[in-house]
C-alpha cells in the first residue's frame, strides 16, 4: 500500500474542503481558484500535485472529482490540468480505485416497485430529486428518509432533509445561486420531483423547510390489487422500515 504523507493529506483535504464544494456549487470564481491551485502545484512538481514521482491518493481523488463534475468540462480545463487528468485516469492507481467504487458507494436509492414499503418508496423518490438537484448531498452524510406525517391534514409522508442539507451546503460554500434559505432548498427538491413519478403528489413546503406529500391514489390502488391478486406482499428482509407502514 501507499503511505499517506502530510503533503498528501493536505491535498486530500483540499479536494474535500475546496475542490469538491467548488465544482458542486458551479461558482466560476471558486472553481477557478481551486484549479489555479492545482495548476500552480503541477507547474512546480510536474506529474503529481504532491511532488512525488508516483501518483498519490490525492491525485486520484482530485481527478475523480474533476471527471464526475457536471460544472467542469475536462476540455475546458487548462492544458496542464487536462494532461494531468489524462495521465492519472490512465494510471494503474486510478483504475484500481475505479474498480473499488461499487464497494464504497452507498446503497442504491432507486425506486423499487417490488418493495411494498411506502416509506421506502417515498424515500427513493425524495432521494432521486435531492441527488439530482444537489449532487454534493451524496457526500455529506445526511440520511434521506421519508416519515409519516404526524397530522394527516398536512400530508401522508414528509421529508425533513432540507434544513440539515442547507446548513451543510452553506458551511461548504456550495449553495447554488439563488438558494438562500432551507425553504428554498425544499422548493428546489420539490421542483425536481417529476410529476410522472409513480408514488408522490401534492408536494408542498411547510414551516422551516419540511416537504409534505401525498401518496398517489393510483399507487395505492395498484398495491391493493396486488394483494387481491397475489396475496399479502412479502416484506424484504433488508427493509425494517416497512414494519412502520
Amino acid at each position: 500500500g501507499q503511505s499517506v504523507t502530510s503533503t498528501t493529506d493536505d491535498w486530500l483535504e483540499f479536494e474535500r474542503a475546496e475542490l469538491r464544494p467548488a465544482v458542486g456549487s458551479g461558482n466560476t470564481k471558486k472553481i477557478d481558484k481551486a484549479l489555479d491551485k492545482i495548476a500552480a502545484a503541477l507547474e512546480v512538481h510536474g506529474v503529481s500535485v504532491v511532488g512525488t514521482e508516483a501518483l498519490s491518493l490525492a491525485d486520484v481523488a482530485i481527478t475523480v472529482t474533476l471527471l464526475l463534475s457536471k460544472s467542469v468540462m475536462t476540455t475546458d480545463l487548462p492544458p496542464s490540468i487536462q494532461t494531468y487528468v489524462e495521465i492519472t485516469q490512465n494510471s494503474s492507481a486510478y483504475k484500481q480505485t475505479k474498480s473499488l467504487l461499487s464497494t464504497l458507494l452507498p446503497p442504491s436509492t432507486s425506486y423499487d416497485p417490488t418493495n411494498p414499503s411506502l416509506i421506502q418508496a417515498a424515500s427513493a423518490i425524495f432521494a432521486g430529486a435531492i441527488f439530482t438537484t444537489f449532487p454534493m448531498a451524496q457526500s455529506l452524510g445526511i440520511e434521506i428518509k421519508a416519515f409519516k406525517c404526524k397530522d394527516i391534514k398536512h400530508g401522508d409522508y414528509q421529508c425533513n432533509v432540507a434544513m440539515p442539507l442547507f446548513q451543510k451546503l452553506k458551511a461548504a460554500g456550495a449553495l447554488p445561486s439563488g438558494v438562500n434559505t432551507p425553504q428554498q432548498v425544499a422548493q428546489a427538491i420539490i421542483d425536481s420531483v417529476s410529476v410522472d413519478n409513480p408514488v408522490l403528489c401534492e408536494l408542498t413546503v411547510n414551516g422551516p423547510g419540511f416537504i409534505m406529500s401525498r401518496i398517489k391514489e393510483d399507487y395505492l390502488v395498484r398495491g391493493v390489487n396486488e394483494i387481491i391478486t397475489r396475496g399479502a406482499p412479502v416484506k424484504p428482509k433488508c427493509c425494517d422500515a416497512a414494519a412502520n407502514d
Side-chain angles (χ1 to χ4, degrees), residues 45-117:
H45 301 303
V47 176
S48 169
V49 294
V50 175
T52 55
E53 291 185 7
L55 291 168
S56 68
L57 294 174
D59 296 305
V60 173
I62 289 169
T63 297
V64 168
T65 296
L66 291 174
L67 289 173
L68 293 181
S69 169
K70 294 182 179 180
S71 57
V72 177
M73 298 294 292
T74 54
T75 53
D76 295 332
L77 293 171
S80 63
I81 300 181
Q82 286 189 38
T83 301
Y84 167 70
V85 168
E86 184 178 348
I87 291 173
T88 306
Q89 190 177 13
N90 290 317
S91 70
S92 58
Y94 180 87
K95 292 175 181 177
Q96 183 179 15
T97 301
K98 187 176 180 180
S99 69
L100 295 173
L101 280 179
S102 62
T103 66
L104 301 175
L105 294 174
S108 172
T109 53
S110 300
Y111 166 64
D112 179 4
T114 67
N115 188 335
S117 168

Side-chain angles (χ1 to χ4, degrees), residues 147-156 158 212:
F147 298 89
K148 280 187 177 180
C149 292
K150 293 182 179 179
D151 191 336
I152 194 66
K153 72 180 181 182
H154 295 310
D156 297 322
Q158 68 185 65
M212 321 304 288

Side-chain angles (χ1 to χ4, degrees), residues 203-237:
L203 287 89
T204 58
V205 179
N206 185 277
F210 301 117
I211 301 175
M212 321 304 288
S213 67
R214 298 285 183 188
I215 300 296
K216 287 185 174 181
E217 182 178 350
D218 288 350
Y219 181 81
L220 296 174
V221 169
R222 284 196 300 273
V224 171
N225 286 338
E226 285 285 319
I227 294 174
I228 293 174
T229 304
R230 303 181 183 180
V234 177
K235 176 185 135 181
K237 293 181 180 179

Side-chain angles (χ1 to χ4, degrees), residues 116-221:
S117 168
L118 288 175
I119 285 180
Q120 294 295 323
S123 296
I125 300 301
F126 282 127
I130 291 165
F131 294 155
T132 297
T133 311
F134 305 102
M136 190 180 175
Q138 299 184 66
S139 64
L140 295 178
I142 298 175
E143 181 183 21
I144 299 174
K145 183 178 179 180
F147 298 89
K148 280 187 177 180
C149 292
K150 293 182 179 179
D151 191 336
I152 194 66
K153 72 180 181 182
H154 295 310
D156 297 322
Y157 287 87
Q158 68 185 65
C159 178
N160 304 339
V161 77
M163 289 82 79
L165 179 57
F166 170 79
Q167 292 296 334
K168 292 207 172 189
L169 289 173
K170 183 178 181 181
L175 282 171
S177 177
V179 176
N180 303 301
T181 66
Q183 291 93 335
Q184 289 174 330
V185 169
Q187 187 60 54
I189 293 169
I190 289 174
D191 291 344
S192 288
V193 176
S194 171
V195 294
D196 296 328
N197 85 84
V199 184
L200 301 178
C201 63
E202 299 180 33
L203 287 89
T204 58
V205 179
N206 185 277
F210 301 117
I211 301 175
M212 321 304 288
S213 67
R214 298 285 183 188
I215 300 296
K216 287 185 174 181
E217 182 178 350
D218 288 350
Y219 181 81
L220 296 174
V221 169

